[in-house]
Amino acid sequence: MYTAGKIKEEPKQEFQPVLCDMCVDTQVPALKTCLKCEISMCAQHLQAHLTTPVLLQTHPLTKPTTPGGLSSGAVRCPEHGKLLEYYCLDDRTCVCVSCSIEDQHRLHNMKSLPNAHKVLVEKLREELKALAEREKQGKALKSWETKQTKALEVSTEYLVKSVSALRDIGLNKVQSSVTARLGAIQTARQNIEEALSEEDAHMFLQRFAGVHEAVEKARAVDFIHGLEEEAEPAKVVFDILKN
């Protein structure tokens, strides 16, 4: 016979910091992991990578990673199995050396991960400035919303109580038009700010394609065309009475 009892709780695993692979006597927590050398280094042993121009340009650094994490698909090319050392600015993706010289990326604009990180961070900062200007233009859109709302309120005065839902329908149509347009800009701003808060170059570049797509949608927002036709109060009244 089965007897119910208390489920034994699994002991919580304590966080184990990644240790420096180069420390001999006393292992110190690592500050960064070199994806090229596949070793983790403390602040002392990291100095050579930070002060030697060749290492700085060709040895991408990331957050401290365990040996198992270095061998995962996140840092190696799924096709060639080589380290993802470069970033294709044309296709917005990380690639290995074989991809950059043999496959479809060979004629594309390629940069090392650190250089690509610098270029794209600057690009997003410029996009953030552009979005601020778009948001200023959006204030005129809010003014248009107020005007249309007042026009719809006047229209409802001439309707009998049986069609009192007209005002809610009209307001929803106006507000939906505004929300749909301003939502794309707000989403792009949020994506950019989240990307800029990411300190890890590799994680930043992996997410950049999604950020770029949100920015493109924000650029395509049209604050003028289609609004008057969508929310014309007389047309709303006509459609309701007709149906």
Side-chain angles (χ1 to χ4, degrees):
M1 181 177 68
Y2 173 76
T3 304
K6 292 185 178 180
I7 299 175
K8 185 178 181 181
E9 295 183 355
E10 293 290 337
K12 294 184 178 180
Q13 294 183 351
E14 296 183 358
F15 171 74
Q16 297 293 333
V18 179
L19 300 177
C20 176
D21 294 319
M22 300 182 69
C23 289
V24 178
D25 297 329
T26 303
Q27 287 190 304
V28 178
L31 187 63
K32 290 287 184 180
T33 295
C34 175
L35 299 180
K36 183 83 170 181
C37 302
E38 298 191 3
I39 60 172
S40 299
M41 294 167 284
C42 63
Q44 177 184 353
H45 292 109
L46 183 64
Q47 287 303 309
H49 276 69
L50 298 178
T51 57
T52 306
V54 174
L55 296 179
L56 193 60
Q57 292 294 323
T58 61
H59 286 231
L61 300 174
T62 185
K63 292 179 180 179
T65 308
T66 60
L70 285 174
S71 60
S72 66
V75 295
R76 292 190 179 277
C77 176
E79 183 175 352
H80 302 103
K82 296 181 179 179
L83 196 66
L84 296 174
E85 300 181 73
Y86 302 97
Y87 188 76
C88 176
L89 293 174
D90 294 332
D91 292 333
R92 294 179 292 279
T93 185
C94 295
V95 298
C96 70
V97 64
S98 294
C99 292
S100 65
I101 62 176
E102 297 176 4
D103 294 341
Q104 68 272 20
H105 302 284
R106 63 189 181 87
L107 298 179
H108 290 181
N109 186 7
M110 311 291 297
K111 287 191 178 295
S112 65
L113 297 187
N115 285 339
H117 178 254
K118 292 178 183 178
V119 170
L120 296 181
V121 162
E122 186 59 32
K123 178 181 176 64
L124 289 187
R125 285 175 178 159
E126 291 300 321
E127 292 292 353
L128 204 57
K129 293 178 183 178
L131 285 176
E133 292 299 319
R134 297 285 282 171
E135 287 176 330
K136 290 180 181 178
Q137 298 174 18
K139 292 181 180 179
L141 189 63
K142 295 295 293 184
S143 176
W144 174 89
E145 179 188 6
T146 301
K147 179 181 177 181
Q148 293 299 317
T149 300
K150 290 180 179 179
L152 287 165
E153 289 175 345
V154 171
S155 297
T156 60
E157 295 177 2
Y158 298 97
L159 299 175
V160 295
K161 292 182 179 180
S162 60
V163 291
S164 60
L166 169 66
R167 178 177 180 275
D168 293 335
I169 295 173
L171 287 175
N172 182 64
K173 202 166 187 178
V174 171
Q175 292 166 354
S176 295
S177 297
V178 174
T179 301
R181 288 163 170 80
L182 295 184
I185 292 178
Q186 292 170 353
T187 298
R189 166 181 279 277
Q190 181 179 355
N191 286 356
I192 289 178
E193 290 175 344
E194 289 177 355
L196 291 176
S197 67
E198 179 58 61
E199 297 179 356
D200 182 81
H202 183 264
M203 293 298 298
F204 170 88
L205 296 172
Q206 289 283 8
R207 296 171 55 184
F208 182 77
V211 179
H212 175 79
E213 182 179 353
V215 170
E216 289 297 313
K217 288 182 179 179
R219 285 180 172 178
V221 170
D222 191 336
F223 289 144
I224 300 175
H225 297 94
L227 295 175
E228 296 293 344
E229 293 77 12
E230 286 184 12
E232 181 64 32
K235 184 178 182 300
V236 176
V237 174
F238 176 82
D239 289 342
I240 291 178
L241 293 178
K242 179 181 178 181
N243 297 319

